[in-house]
DNA sequence: TATGAATGAGTCTTCATTCAT
DNA sequence: AATGAATGAAGACTCATTCAT
């Protein structure tokens, strides 16, 4: 996560880093606190303490609490957007296998609370910050959905996948993972995400073959 | 929202204070505010205003903001728990049909923001109130999961459903709806929940027959 | 001030609340609450409950919390002032015996928390209500002091009491009782007021004979 | 009230915030407000203003209003406890003289409203905070009583004091001072504490020689 | 007479944010 | 770059008091 050296093409965001490692540490701490207590309930002082700084020092890096939230969300977008972009291209040849591998990877990621933290945060916050909802919808979820739909459609076109509604298929693919992630991280239920391979195997048994008894 | 006419003889004068209706009205307003702003950011004063009361008056009915939240959650639990209980029994005979009908009903419900509001609230809040997470996990979600799993297993036992992992099937069944609900209400995306029948038909096409091309 | 004349002709029906008794009951309750919690911390609602009324009903009898306090204080003053007046006359003949009897009576009274309650209240309250301090000083304490000093001086004049400073003698006479009353009721210490005769005997042994060893 | 010049070399600039002095200043202000208005009626804002701070700043030093009260009480206890302890030892040789000197000192102290303030506070507050009553009873008053009784008993044993009940003697010794202090500070009466020497002389004339005419 | 309902004015306490060094 | 100190603005909660019946 080395600071990508200013990169003059992209106009430096308002919360531009002034030191090397600090911003990362602060964001880390902020994410932890936001996740644990929610955006409103999280206190700058606790974030500062967790980051090993004084409360005032945070303001050297981020102009406000809100900026922290924005930085946090944005920081997770580029990776995701990028992955989504490459995904569609990469898996065209063998969509089902691609989906299976992808699923397993996602399931494994979702076992990590930190990965789920930002989406959870967005859920909790988008009520009063609609811009964030929109940003997340457009920049993250819509992109991911699009990429997956393309994959499905490619599979259908290539005869590898039965002719189904792509959107429905994407929901069938992502929904169960979302559900298990919520169960695990929100409700603190016993998770099936610990064994991603097994989870995906069971899920794909249903997903690929359906519930109907075969002749 | 009309005062349910305590006695038809004397039409309750408009200025009559409807003490009995108050708790409901307050909860209504609280749900709206909590949903819009989140639990922490919601102000008692706004809730009061929305309920047509003074701030202090709320405390005649609920001892604290937290109590409001709890009442809100609990108020939605008994209905759910009850439905879940009847569900399992009702659908034993023809599980697939039961599932399909149930899905459509749920999808229709989920189009209503108010129905989704409490779960959303729980998601946003359970980080700092683990008791609520536990309550919801045990009293609501675990029960619903259990009822659905029974349904699946009954179907498998009766040969109406292919032999699949029940938990995976439940995830495959609920996950997509959850996903669409989040997309709709959290991210304010264009919803497919408006036409529940079509949505479920597409979803069940995938769910029942799978993605694999049939021979 | 009190609605007098219970008018015994019509026996108040059992269910009928005796309106004329109300002020007394309320004052009783108010004294109890004020004593237990202090004037500021006492809540009208609790007073009402203790008096078996609704909060609003109190305002039919007393226009404000402050009025309650004033009524309370005034209700205890006339008796005291009266007693003080008679005292001086009564004991002129044999001042020492009068003092001894008086002391025992006072000590016995002071064992009763209700008797000490109003003075305690005054102590707690006169910081912010100087009129009350003045009222109490002039109407109660100064009068009592005066009466006692007269008694002492009469004794000195009649040769029954050694020539001492009257004020000092009064302090020596009242102080110990005040001290024990505070210890008992304020600090909840084990009291010597239970056995007033013994207490006064010991106190008078000191008071009359002094500490100096007699030749 | 001058900041005690932490170091004489650099005269603390007037605008320098004297963080170390703050707690003392706050307690000072709190005592003043509590005394003037009573614990409940005193407002944090006024205390803050009197201490030259913002309301919120007080919470940097004391976590609550209650803590302020406790600190205040405790701050006066150690001195007293200590003095009481040394007292008994110091005066053993000549108890009567010790008592006389002690009395004069106490009388002089009691002329200062600030010295009487905390006991007054305790009186007003112990109704609803019984722990404070107990603390004060055990840590302050019982200790002082004990020390004085020892002194008396030593005097009796050494033949310097007539054989009297020690507790009664202590009451006879403290009571008058207590009485005069209340008269002065609670009731705002004209005080005799201004001339402690004279007051004690008169009081000791009674205390030592008694009221009975000597043969 | 009596009260359930309601409220305006206030209080303690918290916290994001700034300031002086 | 960093911080200890400070604060303004806000929010939950309370309570004496009033009102409509």
């Amino acid at each position: 996560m080395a600071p990508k050296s200013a990169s003059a093409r992209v106009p430096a965001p308002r919360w531009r880093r002034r030191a090397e490692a600090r911003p990362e540490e602060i964001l880390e701490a902020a994410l932890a606190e936001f996740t644990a207590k929610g955006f409103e309930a999280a206190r700058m002082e606790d974030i500062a303490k967790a980051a090993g700084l004084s409360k005032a020092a945070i303001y050297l890096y981020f102009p406000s609490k809100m900026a922290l939230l924005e930085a946090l969300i944005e920081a997770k977008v580029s990776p995701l957007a990028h992955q989504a972009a490459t995904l569609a291209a990469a898996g065209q040849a063998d969509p089902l296998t691609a989906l299976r591998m992808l699923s397993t990877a996602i399931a494994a990621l979702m076992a990590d609370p930190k990965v789920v933290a930002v989406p959870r945060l967005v859920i909790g916050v988008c009520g009063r910050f609609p811009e964030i909802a929109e940003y997340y919808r457009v920049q993250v979820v819509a992109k991911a959905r699009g990429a997956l739909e393309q994959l499905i459609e490619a599979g259908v076109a290539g005869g590898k996948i039965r002719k189904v509604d792509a959107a429905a298929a994407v929901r069938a693919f992502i929904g169960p993972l979302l559900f298990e992630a919520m169960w695990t991280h929100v409700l603190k239920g016993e998770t099936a995400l610990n064994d991603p391979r097994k989870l995906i195997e069971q899920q794909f048994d249903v997903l690929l073959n359906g519930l109907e008894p075969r002749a």
Side-chain angles (χ1 to χ4, degrees), chain A:
Chain A
M1 199 67 52
K4 292 147 205 163
S5 83
S7 169
R9 285 171 299 171
V10 181
R14 205 172 290 185
W15 35 271
R16 188 193 182 325
R17 299 159 180 171
R18 277 201 250 153
E20 299 305 304
R22 279 288 145 86
E24 245 82 359
E25 292 169 7
I26 293 172
L27 285 179
E28 200 81 11
L31 179 53
E33 290 294 318
F34 287 167
T35 302
K37 317 228 183 90
F39 177 70
E40 321 284 342
R43 295 164 59 228
M44 289 298 262
E45 180 133 31
D46 291 342
I47 296 174
K49 203 161 293 171
L53 264 80
S54 78
K55 195 173 22 164
I58 293 190
Y59 288 85
L60 297 173
Y61 299 94
F62 299 92
S64 73
K65 196 183 183 186
M66 185 66 190
L68 272 180
L69 175 62
E70 281 162 358
L72 221 31
I73 290 174
E74 192 153 351
K76 305 295 178 179
V77 166
S78 19
L80 280 182
H82 187 254
Q83 281 188 308
T86 50
L87 167 77
Q92 301 286 34
D94 186 352
L96 278 184
T97 307
L99 272 178
R100 187 178 239 118
M101 285 168 51
L102 186 62
S103 291
T104 316
I106 293 180
L109 274 179
M110 278 186 167
D112 179 2
K114 287 215 280 202
V115 172
V116 197
V118 168
R120 277 186 63 193
L121 206 44
V122 170
I123 290 173
V125 130
C126 59
R128 81 216 76 130
F129 304 131
E131 337 84 64
I132 288 189
E134 187 186 343
Y135 181 81
Y136 211 76
R137 184 182 76 241
V138 174
Q139 299 300 321
V140 183
V141 183
K143 275 185 181 155
R145 274 186 107 157
L148 285 169
E149 286 183 10
Q150 267 183 266
L151 208 52
I152 300 286
E153 277 156 0
V156 172
K160 303 278 180 70
I161 293 179
R162 195 167 62 81
K163 195 167 185 319
V164 293
D165 180 70
V170 169
R171 280 194 292 264
F173 168 74
I174 286 197
L177 293 176
L178 175 65
F179 178 69
E180 193 63 22
M182 302 279 258
W183 172 263
T184 301
H185 298 297
V186 173
L187 299 185
K188 309 289 177 198
E190 256 182 68
T191 186
L193 291 166
N194 278 339
D195 189 346
R197 204 172 305 265
K198 184 176 159 207
L199 172 66
I200 294 305
E201 228 41 66
Q202 294 176 334
Q203 215 63 52
F204 266 59
D205 177 42
V206 175
L207 182 61
L208 296 185
N209 303 312
L211 295 179
E212 202 106 284
R214 299 250 162 153

